Amino acid sequence: MQDAGADWLHLDVMDGHFVPNLTFGPALIKALRPHCRLPFDVHLMIAPADPYLAAFAEAGADHILVHPESGPHLHRSLQSIRALGCRPGVVLNPATPIDALAWVIDLIDVVLVMGVNPGFGGQHFLTGQLPKISALRAMIGATGRPIRLAVDGGVSAETTPDIVAAGADVLIAGSAVFGRPDYAAAVAALRAAAR
Ligand code: ZN
């Protein structure tokens, strides 16, 4: 992906319990680390997450993103991620209100809005999330900190203009890139759509 022009490599970790799908854990990320220079943006869809944070940090994660629902103590999870030397982030499911961030926003470097319910690729973007992205952009602006606002799920060249207009500055693409024969052309198409 670094040769295709991506800025980050987003890794979806699923446990078959927090989400209805199973992917991989820290061992795969560790094996991948020497082969890629891009920052590893590790999205944990696991519950609990806390017992595994150190393993993901040691595996080479640069950012570790958790869902508030992974529980039980989001604030503690974010403190732990920072203490491990990684950038902490919070992921909001379609039904999760932005208020979940109200008392932790000073602890985080990334906010990730799910454009679909987590678990599977290839789903359509939920346009009802656009006002949430706008509201988060305002919330981030009020902090004065350079928190990245990412969208994950349903990102394509078709949905990107609305997502960027709403205030997102990071686009996480799955099938819009990996479902295409030419990854570099797919990344370029997303960048063009974001302008
Ligand atoms: Zn993800």
Side-chain angles (χ1 to χ4, degrees), residues 164-177:
V164 171
D169 59 16
V170 177
L171 300 167
I172 312 286
S175 42
V177 172

Side-chain angles (χ1 to χ4, degrees), residues 10-14 41-45 65 67 91 112 114 118 151-153 172:
H10 183 84
L11 296 149
D12 283 324
V13 178
M14 306 185 186
D41 188 49
V42 177
H43 177 187
L44 297 183
M45 287 168 271
L65 281 60
H67 287 252
V91 190
L112 178 59
M114 290 303 301
V151 174
D152 185 12
I172 312 286

Side-chain angles (χ1 to χ4, degrees), residues 101-186:
L101 293 179
W103 304 104
V104 294
I105 195 146
D106 290 334
L107 299 180
I108 61 179
D109 292 333
V110 183
V111 178
L112 178 59
V113 175
M114 290 303 301
V116 302
N117 282 298
F120 295 94
Q123 301 181 65
H124 290 290
F125 181 73
L126 300 168
T127 54
Q129 296 300 302
L130 290 170
K132 183 195 276 184
I133 297 167
S134 301
L136 284 165
R137 172 49 62 200
M139 193 185 214
I140 289 169
T143 70
R145 292 182 53 239
I147 299 170
R148 304 302 300 267
L149 178 50
V151 174
D152 185 12
V155 171
S156 68
E158 291 71 39
T159 56
T160 285
D162 287 344
I163 292 170
V164 171
D169 59 16
V170 177
L171 300 167
I172 312 286
S175 42
V177 172
F178 294 100
R180 303 294 167 94
D182 184 341
Y183 293 170

